[in-house]
Amino acid sequence: MDLRPLDETVTVAPQIDPADMARLAQGGVTTIICNRPDAEVPAHLQAAAMQKAAEEAGIAFVYNPVTMPRLSTQTVEEQADAIDGADGKVLAYCAAGTRSAILWALAMAGRMPTDDILRATAQVGYALDGLREQIDALAQDG
């Protein structure tokens, strides 16, 4: 697994496997957020299979699929709600981790300074400077 921590609670990752769940639970992950639509993956990696494996490991599972043309305020709010509702560490994943990092960055708007958000994503390989205006606008609206 390629785990990329954004803060003390949230880590993002490229696609994980059902077999990873026990190890994630041992590492303190209490919630998994899947940001990858089922249409992108084979059956053994689709949300139902991932949810079953997560729940068997004692991990809550949230399905919040997103494609970049369909990124919306609702998906950002769902991501924020899943993070806020977690009892411990959260792992969000998609194909490469980028969508999950974007959702986290937008969800953190107004909660953290924009520079800190962008620094956190850049430190783990996601240069999201192009989101600065969106993060700032969400922070002002929030």
Side-chain angles (χ1 to χ4, degrees):
M1 287 181 294
D2 180 9
L3 303 179
R4 301 176 185 199
L6 296 172
D7 63 20
E8 295 166 0
T9 303
V10 179
T11 296
V12 296
Q15 179 68 53
I16 58 173
D17 190 270
D20 296 328
M21 298 301 178
R23 194 168 106 198
L24 290 167
Q26 290 171 351
V29 172
T30 62
T31 301
I32 301 265
I33 305 171
C34 173
N35 297 129
R36 195 160 190 199
D38 279 346
E40 293 182 6
V41 294
H44 75 282
L45 296 177
Q46 290 182 355
M50 298 299 285
Q51 181 171 1
K52 182 176 186 265
E55 289 174 353
E56 286 174 356
I59 299 173
F61 186 86
V62 176
Y63 186 50
N64 186 24
V66 67
T67 57
M68 291 321 293
R70 301 214 174 177
L71 178 65
S72 68
T73 303
Q74 181 180 348
T75 55
V76 173
E77 289 172 356
E78 287 179 23
Q79 196 84 359
D81 289 347
I83 291 167
D84 293 343
D87 290 332
K89 294 181 182 178
V90 175
L91 173 69
Y93 75 91
C94 58
T98 306
R99 284 175 279 190
S100 297
I102 289 169
L103 284 165
W104 175 84
L106 296 173
M108 292 301 106
R111 299 182 187 197
M112 295 172 61
T114 301
D115 286 340
D116 292 351
I117 293 169
L118 295 175
R119 187 174 14 263
T121 59
Q123 286 176 345
V124 295
Y126 305 107
L128 304 180
D129 290 334
L131 291 179
R132 179 176 294 279
E133 287 183 28
Q134 289 173 283
I135 294 169
D136 288 341
L138 286 171
Q140 288 178 352
D141 290 344

